[in-house]
């Protein structure tokens, strides 16, 4: 019967194109989100940078003016100034000239101390003179009164007189206001220097700065109408500094403002939003073009892939790969009535027959391994029982009832571990605890002849499932074949080391009865699996660990300090280990 190709051809092509679009759509959405996030982040960072710059400028300027004020206040105590203002009648003309010259030197020193100072004046009514750092003029009472009476806000230290900025201080200041001061010192600030500083703060020609107060305005733009509109839109800063976007003449500006109570002024910096975000807008246009190109490529690629029937072949190849790695549960489904349906049906039949054959062999192998494990574990259990009865007998005969009670509790805990469960595997933490109980019992038995050091198991390895009785028999072997014959100074060390993907359990004694040749022979017998090593201790443990965790795991023997034996149990959990999950944590 001839198969109809057209229906499944269209369906496969549509699904392929749709799937590729679905793959690319999250990328496009994520890129759009990232683009918008970049704009917001850039806007925020630029605002923070501009805010930091204007805030730093205002702070530095306030500190500089405060320093100038300090010099101005220091000048109030100048001897020459006080003589000229307080006791001019006691001075002859020459002395007056000398005092004026020395006062000028003092005023000139203040003037030269900062580039923000235009000039420094001392208004002295008693000698009818205005003494500056540069000149000596006749006393200007009108200017003197203007400096005395010009508006001054509660916080501001700067007076504005005839479009000039002054720092003025009179001495003495009468609280009643009826007594005229002896003199007045005024520091004229340089508007040119302030404008020059504002110009230096511009990072590009598009930026502008504006320093405004009710009495004066300094601007880098030179457009009074624009400056007035900008000040009106910005309003008073919310807090010390703020950032906002304003629209002037159909142009959007990113502006930051910071206020200074010291000057009674507001410093603003603005930049056209287009100048900042133009590169990102260009990026967005290119991104849209890329999206269109990607859609065309997806369609072309889908047609090409479909031409060679890529998807069905990949599906079949993946199924063969699973079979190669031992996964015989794979079943290939195919709803369309075409050639691949026949191939997949034959493949599923083949896998089903393989499963049937492998299942028989696999079950037989598992049963054999479990029988071997049971046999190996049963060889371990009787050893400790013999010694326990001998110890009970000895304690009873000598009347050591205190240790007898402790010993029986530990012995009960020991045999509870052995007999309470038929499971072949236990969590490593329980296996180590069982070995610790056994070690405590033996330490009690040989307390006058040896010491025991038992380390802590790393927390991240506690839940590894291991074969039962793999650590305690190694410790038992150390006692029986290494330490039992020592009359004094015996030492048993049990430690644990976690190294990358493997765990080391180390049992070492100082029995002093072995040499390098004997240890080498023992290691060869462990590797050959047919030596004469005690099957209740070392060989069976080595076999069980390798059965559980693979050929990289197992036991290795070394010559320890004092000619004793160091037994190292190496476990690679990822090669075959499974984690024990406590009942409370199971899903």
């Amino acid at each position: 019967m001839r198969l109809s190709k057209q229906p499944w051809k269209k369906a496969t092509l549509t699904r392929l194109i749709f799937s590729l679009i679905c793959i690319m759509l999250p990328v496009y959405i994520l890129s759009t989100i990232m683009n918008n996030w970049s704009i917001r982040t850039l806007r925020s960072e630029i605002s923070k940078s501009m805010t930091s710059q204007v805030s730093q400028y205002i702070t530095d300027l306030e500190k500089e003016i405060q320093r100038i004020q300090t010099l101005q206040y220091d000048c109030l105590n100048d001897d020459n100034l006080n003589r000229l203002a307080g006791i001019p009648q006691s001075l002859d003309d020459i002395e007056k000239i000398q005092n004026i010259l020395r006062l000028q030197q003092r005023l000139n020193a203040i003037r030269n101390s900062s580039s923000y100072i235009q000039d420094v004046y001392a208004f002295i009514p008693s000698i009818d003179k205005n003494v500056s750092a540069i000149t000596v003029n006749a006393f200007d009472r009108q200017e003197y009164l203007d400096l005395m009476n010009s508006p001054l806000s509660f916080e501001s230290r700067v007076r504005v007189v005839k479009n000039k900025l002054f720092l003025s201080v009179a001495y003495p200041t009468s609280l009643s206001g009826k007594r005229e001061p002896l003199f007045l010192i005024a520091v004229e600030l340089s508007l040119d220097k302030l404008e020059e500083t504002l110009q230096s703060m511009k990072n590009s020609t598009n930026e502008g700065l504006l320093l405004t107060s009710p009495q004066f305005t300094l601007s880098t733009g030179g457009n009074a109408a624009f400056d007035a509109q900008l000040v009106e839109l910005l309003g008073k800063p919310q807090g010390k500094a703020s950032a906002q976007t304003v629209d002037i003449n159909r142009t959007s500006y990113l502006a930051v403002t910071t206020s200074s109570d010291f000057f009674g002024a507001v410093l603003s910096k603005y930049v056209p939003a287009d100048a900042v975000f133009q590169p990102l807008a260009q990026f967005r246009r290119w991104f849209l073009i890329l999206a269109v190109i990607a859609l065309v490529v997806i369609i072309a690629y889908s047609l090409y892939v479909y031409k060679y029937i890529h998807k069905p072949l990949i599906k079949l190849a993946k199924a063969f790969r699973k079979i190669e790695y031992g996964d015989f549960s794979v079943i290939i489904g195919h709803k369309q009535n075409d050639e691949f349906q026949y191939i997949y049906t034959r493949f599923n039949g083949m896998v089903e027959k393989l499963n049937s054959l492998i299942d028989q062999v696999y079950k037989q192998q598992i049963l054999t391994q479990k029988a071997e494990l049971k046999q190996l574990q049963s060889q371990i259990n009787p050893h400790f029982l013999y010694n326990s009865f001998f110890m009970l007998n000895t304690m009873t005969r000598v009347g050591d009832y205190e240790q007898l009670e402790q010993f029986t509790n530990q012995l009960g805990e020991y045999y509870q571990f052995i007999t309470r469960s038929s499971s072949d595997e236990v969590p490593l933490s329980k296996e180590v605890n069982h070995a610790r109980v056994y070690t405590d019992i033996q330490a009690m038995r040989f307390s006058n002849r040896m010491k025991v050091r038992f380390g802590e198991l790393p927390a991240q390895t506690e839940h590894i499932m291991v074969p039962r009785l793999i650590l305690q028999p190694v410790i038992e072997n150390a006692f029986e074949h290494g330490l039992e014959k020592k009359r004094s100074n015996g030492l048993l060390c049990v430690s644990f080391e976690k190294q990358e993907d493997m765990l080391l359990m180390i049992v070492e004694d100082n029995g002093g009865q072995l040499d390098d040749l004997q240890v080498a022979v023992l290691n060869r017998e462990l590797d050959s699996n047919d030596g004469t090593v005690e099957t209740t201790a070392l060989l069976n443990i080595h076999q069980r660990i390798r059965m559980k965790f693979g050929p990289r795991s197992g036991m290795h023997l070394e010559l320890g300090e004092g000619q004793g034996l160091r037994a190292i149990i190496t476990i690679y959990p990822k090669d075959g280990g499974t984690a024990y999950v406590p009942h409370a944590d199971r899903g």
Side-chain angles (χ1 to χ4, degrees), residues 9 84 98 109 115 172 221 224 227 236 244 350 356 439 481 516 562 587:
K9 176 179 179 181
L84 291 170
Q98 289 176 343
S115 60
D227 294 341
K236 188 177 180 180
Q244 56 185 303
M350 177 194 69
S356 178
T439 305
H481 300 285
D516 290 332

Side-chain angles (χ1 to χ4, degrees), residues 463-481:
H463 299 324
I464 298 175
M465 300 298 292
V466 298
R468 289 164 56 88
L469 298 174
I470 61 170
L471 182 58
Q472 176 267 331
V474 181
I475 299 174
E476 180 179 358
N477 183 80
F479 276 111
E480 292 185 357
H481 300 285

Side-chain angles (χ1 to χ4, degrees), residues 309-376:
I309 319 179
H310 183 71
K311 186 176 179 180
L313 289 179
I314 287 295
K315 190 174 183 180
L316 185 61
K318 288 182 178 179
F320 276 112
R321 190 174 294 112
K322 289 182 179 180
I323 294 295
E324 180 181 355
Y325 288 118
D327 183 6
F328 292 92
S329 62
V330 57
I331 297 177
I332 306 177
H334 195 65
K335 297 181 180 180
Q336 305 300 327
N337 185 20
D338 56 16
E339 293 83 357
F340 281 101
Q341 185 183 56
Y342 175 81
I343 297 175
Y344 292 168
T345 302
R346 298 300 95 199
F347 176 85
N348 293 336
M350 177 194 69
V351 172
E352 184 178 355
K353 291 182 179 179
L354 286 175
N355 268 324
S356 178
L357 295 174
I358 293 173
D359 185 65
Q360 298 177 9
V361 177
Y362 182 74
K363 287 182 178 179
Q364 291 178 357
Q365 183 179 359
I366 292 298
L367 291 174
T368 302
Q369 288 181 351
K370 286 188 176 181
E372 291 177 354
L373 290 176
K374 289 292 185 181
Q375 180 182 4
L376 292 173

Side-chain angles (χ1 to χ4, degrees), residues 525-573:
E525 291 173 347
L526 285 177
D527 293 337
S528 65
N529 287 339
D530 58 355
T532 58
V533 184
E534 284 290 332
T535 57
T536 56
L538 305 183
L539 180 58
N540 56 15
I541 295 173
H542 179 68
Q543 291 175 338
R544 288 187 293 147
I545 291 175
R546 293 182 66 133
M547 285 182 185
K548 171 65 177 176
F549 296 101
R552 292 202 299 169
S553 303
M555 178 180 292
H556 178 72
L557 305 177
E558 295 179 357
L559 188 63
E561 297 181 3
Q563 300 300 108
L565 183 65
R566 180 188 293 120
I568 303 175
I569 298 175
T570 303
I571 292 177
Y572 286 85

Side-chain angles (χ1 to χ4, degrees), residues 143-186:
E143 188 174 9
Y144 171 76
L145 293 176
D146 289 341
L147 287 171
M148 291 290 295
N149 301 321
S150 62
L152 182 66
S153 68
F154 181 74
E155 293 292 342
S156 175
R157 300 294 185 268
V158 180
R159 297 179 184 271
V160 181
V161 178
K162 296 178 181 179
N163 295 324
K164 295 181 180 180
L165 301 182
F166 290 93
L167 298 172
S168 64
V169 58
Y171 179 84
T173 302
S174 175
L175 297 176
S176 63
K178 296 179 181 180
R179 180 182 176 185
E180 184 178 73
L182 294 177
F183 59 85
L184 183 144
I185 299 177

Side-chain angles (χ1 to χ4, degrees), residues 133-405:
I134 303 174
T135 63
V136 178
N137 298 313
F139 183 72
D140 187 344
R141 176 162 290 276
Q142 184 60 45
E143 188 174 9
Y144 171 76
L145 293 176
D146 289 341
L147 287 171
M148 291 290 295
N149 301 321
S150 62
L152 182 66
S153 68
F154 181 74
E155 293 292 342
S156 175
R157 300 294 185 268
V158 180
R159 297 179 184 271
V160 181
V161 178
K162 296 178 181 179
N163 295 324
K164 295 181 180 180
L165 301 182
F166 290 93
L167 298 172
S168 64
V169 58
Y171 179 84
T173 302
S174 175
L175 297 176
S176 63
K178 296 179 181 180
R179 180 182 176 185
E180 184 178 73
L182 294 177
F183 59 85
L184 183 144
I185 299 177
V187 177
E188 181 184 354
L189 300 178
S190 174
L191 293 176
D192 293 338
K193 179 60 181 178
L194 291 173
E195 290 181 355
E196 179 185 341
T197 304
L198 291 180
Q199 289 288 350
S200 67
M201 292 175 62
K202 294 173 60 176
N203 297 323
S204 67
T205 57
N206 296 320
E207 294 184 0
L209 289 104
L210 188 65
L211 182 63
T212 60
S213 77
Q215 291 80 28
F216 69 92
T217 298
L218 295 178
S219 174
T220 61
N223 188 336
F226 177 88
D227 294 341
Q229 190 174 0
L230 179 64
V231 170
E232 182 182 356
L233 291 174
L234 291 178
K236 188 177 180 180
Q238 300 296 323
K240 185 66 177 176
S242 62
Q244 56 185 303
T245 302
V246 295
D247 294 324
I248 301 176
N249 299 330
R250 298 182 180 179
T251 303
S252 180
Y253 292 88
L254 179 63
V256 297
T257 57
T258 183
S259 61
S260 171
D261 294 333
F262 186 88
F263 287 99
V266 175
L267 178 62
S268 305
K269 185 176 183 180
Y270 57 91
V271 59
D274 291 342
V276 176
F277 305 114
Q278 184 63 33
L280 289 178
Q282 187 71 12
F283 171 78
R284 179 174 293 178
R285 285 194 293 270
W286 279 107
F287 184 78
L288 293 175
I289 295 175
L290 179 62
V292 174
I293 295 175
L295 182 60
V296 174
V297 170
I298 288 174
I299 297 175
Y301 180 75
S302 301
L303 293 172
Y304 175 82
V305 172
Y306 168 75
K307 181 179 180 180
Y308 291 96
I309 319 179
H310 183 71
K311 186 176 179 180
L313 289 179
I314 287 295
K315 190 174 183 180
L316 185 61
K318 288 182 178 179
F320 276 112
R321 190 174 294 112
K322 289 182 179 180
I323 294 295
E324 180 181 355
Y325 288 118
D327 183 6
F328 292 92
S329 62
V330 57
I331 297 177
I332 306 177
H334 195 65
K335 297 181 180 180
Q336 305 300 327
N337 185 20
D338 56 16
E339 293 83 357
F340 281 101
Q341 185 183 56
Y342 175 81
I343 297 175
Y344 292 168
T345 302
R346 298 300 95 199
F347 176 85
N348 293 336
M350 177 194 69
V351 172
E352 184 178 355
K353 291 182 179 179
L354 286 175
N355 268 324
S356 178
L357 295 174
I358 293 173
D359 185 65
Q360 298 177 9
V361 177
Y362 182 74
K363 287 182 178 179
Q364 291 178 357
Q365 183 179 359
I366 292 298
L367 291 174
T368 302
Q369 288 181 351
K370 286 188 176 181
E372 291 177 354
L373 290 176
K374 289 292 185 181
Q375 180 182 4
L376 292 173
Q377 288 185 349
S378 66
Q379 294 173 358
I380 295 175
N381 295 333
H383 279 272
F384 189 63
L385 180 63
Y386 306 149
N387 292 331
S388 299
F389 284 136
F390 287 132
M391 283 191 66
L392 286 172
N393 181 51
T394 301
M395 288 181 182
T396 304
R397 281 190 294 102
V398 301
D400 189 1
Y401 298 114
E402 292 183 1
Q403 290 199 23
L404 179 62
E405 181 181 0

